[in-house]
Amino acid sequence: MRTGIINATLAFLCWGSFPLYFHALNNVPPGQILAHRVLWSLLFLVIVLTARRQWKWLPAVLRQPRVIGSFVASALLLSGNWLVYIWAVNNGHVIEGSLGYFINPLVNIMFGYLLLKERLRVGQWAAIALAALGVAWLTWQAGTVPWIALILAATFGAYGLMRKTAALGALEGLAFETMVLFPLALGYVIWLTVHGENAFINSPADSTRWLLAAAGPITAIPLLLFAAGARKIPLAVLGMLQYISPTIQFLLGVWLFHEAFTAERLVGFVLIWAALALYAAEGLWRSRT
């Protein structure tokens, strides 16, 4: 139990610190960061799988078109989520990005209701209503829908829904998803190189190259920690720990990147935080009873 909590906490701390990493690469276009993240992640995962002699799953998967199709879809959702988040961080929207991951659990509940025909309890309906009120308030105050947060929540929620019933575990699944994205990422990087726009080659700073290459372990290590922790702790505890990540992102956006956060905007966030508190309290009460 203690080891599981430590592993999961470390994973969420890493994910919460992602804005620092992507902000350090703000001189590189988001599409290039995404492509390098795919390439270096695959290289790192191949090394890990080889060291663990964990390749027996691949031939079986390649003989199942339906499984391949499901991982193509999940890979596209994951890459879309990554691209939007990278763009958000590098364009001064860290706070709105954190909002997406705050409301993600409530989006998961709605997906379960709409797609899996799961019954919602009264407390869950109330939490969803509060969150919807918060999003409506933020939309009215800003004069525009918080589309970054909604896209992040929807894509990650849909990705989680697909991975919930996936045929592969966390490590193998991420490896196969990066294999699916590899041809696109490699083709894009080759095109950039031919046109003299590859930041990895053309950047005058060695730090940029090291940061791009570090995308592999930075992507995979938190996932491995999360997978190790999730097997050892109750789902209710894991659900509480997941708020570490968006909380860190929110604090970074306010205190480090000095993004605008008015009192009117705070009202919307308070409504969403109240919805999450209600959702967590209802879940804890339900698990006890």
Side-chain angles (χ1 to χ4, degrees):
M1 181 76 169
R2 183 180 301 172
T3 304
I5 291 175
I6 291 173
N7 286 336
T9 300
L10 287 174
F12 288 120
L13 288 173
C14 290
W15 284 327
S17 303
F18 269 13
L20 298 173
Y21 170 70
F22 292 124
H23 190 74
L25 285 169
N26 61 0
N27 60 320
V28 181
Q32 286 202 48
I33 298 175
L34 175 62
H36 281 285
R37 188 176 187 184
V38 170
L39 296 179
W40 293 106
S41 295
L42 180 57
L43 176 61
F44 182 80
L45 291 166
V46 166
I47 293 171
V48 172
L49 288 169
T50 302
R52 298 176 62 168
R53 299 180 181 178
Q54 203 169 327
W55 285 106
K56 293 181 180 179
W57 55 272
L58 185 57
V61 169
L62 294 176
R63 292 193 295 267
Q64 302 178 63
R66 182 175 296 181
V67 174
I68 294 174
S70 69
F71 274 94
V72 169
S74 65
L76 293 175
L77 284 169
L78 183 62
S79 61
N81 181 272
W82 284 356
L83 182 61
V84 172
Y85 186 73
I86 294 168
W87 182 91
V89 171
N90 288 351
N91 285 272
H93 298 287
V94 174
I95 293 176
E96 189 171 339
S98 73
L99 176 64
Y101 294 108
F102 274 125
I103 65 177
N104 176 247
L106 304 176
V107 170
N108 290 341
I109 295 174
M110 285 304 300
F111 279 164
Y113 173 74
L114 295 173
L115 302 177
L116 303 181
K117 307 303 179 184
E118 295 176 353
R119 295 181 61 184
L120 298 186
R121 300 184 292 272
V122 174
Q124 292 175 318
W125 276 119
I128 291 172
L130 263 179
L133 183 61
V135 171
W137 172 265
L138 290 171
T139 300
W140 182 70
Q141 284 294 321
T144 180
V145 175
W147 63 269
I148 295 173
L150 295 178
I151 290 175
L152 289 174
T155 53
F156 199 69
Y159 174 75
L161 186 66
M162 296 197 68
R163 294 292 278 117
K164 182 178 179 180
T165 55
L168 298 176
L171 176 61
E172 298 90 340
L174 182 62
F176 195 66
E177 285 163 349
T178 51
M179 289 177 191
V180 168
L181 297 170
F182 176 77
L184 295 174
L186 181 63
Y188 181 52
V189 169
I190 291 174
W191 184 88
L192 290 169
T193 304
V194 170
H195 289 80
E197 299 177 11
N198 188 345
F200 188 83
I201 296 174
N202 298 333
S203 175
D206 289 336
S207 59
T208 299
R209 299 185 186 91
W210 283 109
L211 286 169
L212 287 172
I218 284 174
T219 298
I221 288 175
L223 183 77
L224 296 176
L225 288 168
F226 175 80
R231 288 195 295 266
K232 299 177 181 178
I233 59 179
L235 191 61
V237 176
L238 190 66
M240 294 297 293
L241 291 176
Q242 72 178 332
Y243 298 120
I244 293 173
S245 176
T247 300
I248 294 174
Q249 294 170 18
F250 171 80
L251 294 176
L252 288 174
V254 173
W255 289 340
L256 184 62
F257 302 129
H258 305 293
E259 294 183 10
F261 193 67
T262 61
E264 291 79 11
R265 197 176 185 189
L266 176 61
V267 171
F269 271 77
V270 167
L271 287 170
I272 291 166
W273 290 333
L276 292 174
L278 177 60
Y279 163 71
E282 195 273 346
L284 288 173
W285 177 82
R286 181 78 177 181
S287 65
R288 283 189 176 185
T289 57

